[in-house]
């Protein structure tokens, strides 16, 4: 009997572990590309949410659904934070857990933030990390019970800008590291953009995101390059857009412009606008009609397979 309870306790511990985060993988082994040494160290502040700044060693936290409910789909999640920090749980791990409940793997990206202190070229850093996250996810597809043709990207606010940059610039950047993952494609199979920053044009962008990514006085050509409504091509992946009309931080016009650009190129796109909700609402739990948006997203994801 004593042996039975010992085995049962061990099984419960194992089960508890499996229901939490599965593993964390560094994005890069060896030298991190586009990085330079500085005196900065990563910081995590917890005042309601986990706010991560000064990321030095980017990684992915992998959350997998149970094998019995797994759909084979995976989403790389880019938390927002104005390119100044990462709302790591609010727009990252909380989202991964919701995805798991739908049989979808959630891959939370802790990406480096653009900084002259730690980057050779500041605006290249987040994009390098996001593209690497997609390649790594595909590299581990068999091990994680994923379909490598069903790996998408999701971003909130400035994370939405990063996600949309990946979805419009993927054919412009070879992997800086020529390892096994570096041979795989970085094009996402779909994009999910939640109250995203899209443009870097001064009148409609989020000023903090623009300044942090491009610097205070960027060249106009750089502004155009990172205004992703201008970079949509006919092979940009199918896209889901969500915004609230009263967003006081990132104007709703960001999503409207992206929708029009995608429509013009005949890229499949679905957009949902809520009259109220403001900015940074994550899953919108307790916010009335707004909290229905995750189920709307889930229905869209199912539609990608004609389900």
């Amino acid at each position: 009997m004593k042996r039975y309870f010992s085995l049962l306790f061990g099984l419960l511990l194992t089960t508890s572990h499996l229901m939490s985060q599965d593993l964390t993988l560094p994005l890069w082994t060896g030298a991190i590309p586009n990085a330079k040494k500085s005196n900065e160290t990563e910081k995590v502040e917890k005042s309601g949410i986990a706010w991560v700044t000064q990321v030095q060693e980017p990684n992915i936290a992998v959350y997998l659904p149970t094998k019995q409910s797994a759909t084979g789909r995976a989403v790389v999640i880019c938390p927002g934070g104005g390119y100044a920090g990462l709302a790591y749980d609010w727009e990252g791990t909380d989202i991964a857990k919701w995805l798991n409940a739908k049989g979808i793997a959630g891959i939370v990206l802790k990406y480096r933030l653009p900084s002259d202190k730690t980057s050779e070229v500041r605006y290249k850093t987040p994009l390098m990390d996001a593209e690497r996250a997609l390649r790594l996810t595909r590299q581990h597809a068999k091990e994680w019970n994923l379909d490598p043709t069903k790996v998408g990207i999701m971003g909130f606010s400035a994370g939405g800008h990063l996600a949309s940059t990946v979805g419009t610039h993927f054919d412009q950047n070879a992997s800086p590291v020529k390892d096994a993952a570096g041979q795989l494609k970085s094009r996402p199979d779909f994009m999910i953009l939640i109250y995203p920053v899209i443009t870097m044009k001064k009148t409609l962008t989020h000023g903090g995101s623009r300044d942090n990514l491009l610097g205070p006085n960027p060249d106009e050509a750089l502004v155009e390059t990172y205004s992703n409504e201008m970079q949509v091509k006919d092979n940009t992946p199918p896209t889901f857009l969500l915004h609230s009309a009263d967003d006081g931080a990132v104007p709703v016009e960001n999503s409207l412009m992206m929708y029009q650009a995608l429509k013009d190129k005949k890229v499949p796109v679905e957009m949902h606008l809520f009259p109220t909700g403001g900015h940074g609402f994550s899953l919108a739990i307790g916010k009335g009609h707004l909290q229905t948006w995750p189920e709307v997203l889930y229905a869209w994801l199912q539609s990608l397979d004609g389900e």
Side-chain angles (χ1 to χ4, degrees):
M1 182 64 70
K2 185 175 180 181
R3 176 177 170 78
Y4 169 79
F5 281 111
S6 295
L7 288 170
L8 179 61
F9 182 67
L11 178 61
L12 288 171
L13 284 177
T14 302
T15 304
S16 174
H17 172 72
L18 290 175
M19 290 174 67
S20 63
Q21 175 188 331
D22 288 83
L23 72 155
T24 300
L25 287 181
L27 285 184
W28 310 99
T29 54
I32 298 175
N34 198 45
K36 59 185 181 182
K37 289 185 178 180
S38 77
N39 59 359
E40 290 186 346
T41 57
E42 182 177 308
K43 296 180 180 179
V44 182
E45 300 173 26
K46 292 188 177 179
S47 55
I49 66 172
W51 178 249
V52 181
T53 58
Q54 299 183 177
V55 175
Q56 304 299 304
E57 297 180 358
N59 63 40
I60 50 174
V62 181
Y63 290 77
L64 300 175
T66 57
K67 193 170 184 180
Q68 290 85 344
S69 62
T71 63
R73 193 178 302 282
V75 179
V76 172
I77 305 163
C78 306
Y83 282 125
L86 305 176
Y88 189 75
D89 51 1
W90 183 244
E91 295 172 345
T93 58
D94 284 0
I95 307 302
K97 292 169 187 175
W98 177 83
L99 288 167
N100 280 184
K102 302 297 185 182
I104 302 166
I107 314 296
V108 183
L109 173 60
K110 184 194 289 185
Y111 57 92
R112 290 172 292 157
L113 299 154
S115 164
D116 289 333
K117 287 186 177 180
T118 55
S119 299
E120 295 290 347
V121 182
R122 65 190 300 161
Y123 56 81
K124 290 184 177 182
T125 294
L127 181 55
M128 279 185 175
D129 288 351
E131 290 183 331
R132 179 69 174 181
L134 282 156
R135 290 181 169 117
L136 272 181
T137 300
R138 289 193 170 104
Q139 182 188 19
H140 291 276
K142 186 175 181 180
E143 175 187 347
W144 297 343
N145 198 32
L146 304 177
D147 182 338
T149 69
K150 294 183 179 181
V151 178
I153 195 164
M154 179 180 197
F156 295 77
S157 193
H161 183 266
L162 177 55
S164 66
T165 306
V166 176
T168 54
H169 291 66
F170 57 85
D171 56 357
Q172 300 172 24
N173 305 301
S175 172
V177 176
K178 307 303 180 187
D179 57 5
Q183 308 304 312
L184 302 176
K185 68 175 185 176
S186 64
R187 178 188 182 274
D189 294 304
F190 54 90
M191 287 196 294
I192 303 166
L193 309 178
I194 310 299
Y195 41 86
V197 179
I198 295 293
T199 192
M200 288 287 111
K201 294 180 180 178
K202 209 163 191 177
T203 53
L204 291 173
T205 191
H206 175 251
S209 296
R210 171 183 152 124
D211 289 351
N212 289 324
L213 183 65
L214 304 183
N217 297 296
D219 179 87
E220 190 55 37
L222 193 61
V223 170
E224 182 170 329
T225 297
Y226 282 87
S227 291
N228 292 326
E229 78 281 7
M230 302 183 70
Q231 304 303 323
V232 173
K233 304 168 188 66
D234 56 10
N235 62 347
T236 297
T239 301
F240 179 95
L241 287 157
L242 179 83
H243 223 116
S244 67
D246 66 346
D247 192 325
V250 178
V252 69
E253 284 79 5
N254 281 262
S255 285
L256 293 171
M257 289 189 299
M258 190 63 170
Y259 177 85
Q260 188 63 56
L262 290 159
K263 183 173 177 290
D264 288 347
K265 292 292 186 181
K266 297 182 171 49
V267 175
V269 56
E270 181 168 315
M271 179 169 63
H272 293 269
L273 302 180
F274 285 78
T276 59
H279 188 73
F281 47 76
S282 184
L283 292 169
I285 294 170
K287 292 188 177 293
H289 180 49
L290 184 62
Q291 69 184 344
T292 64
W293 81 257
E295 294 304 322
V296 175
L297 168 62
Y298 178 56
W300 178 79
L301 285 168
Q302 288 180 301
S303 76
L304 294 178
D305 296 326
E307 297 171 19

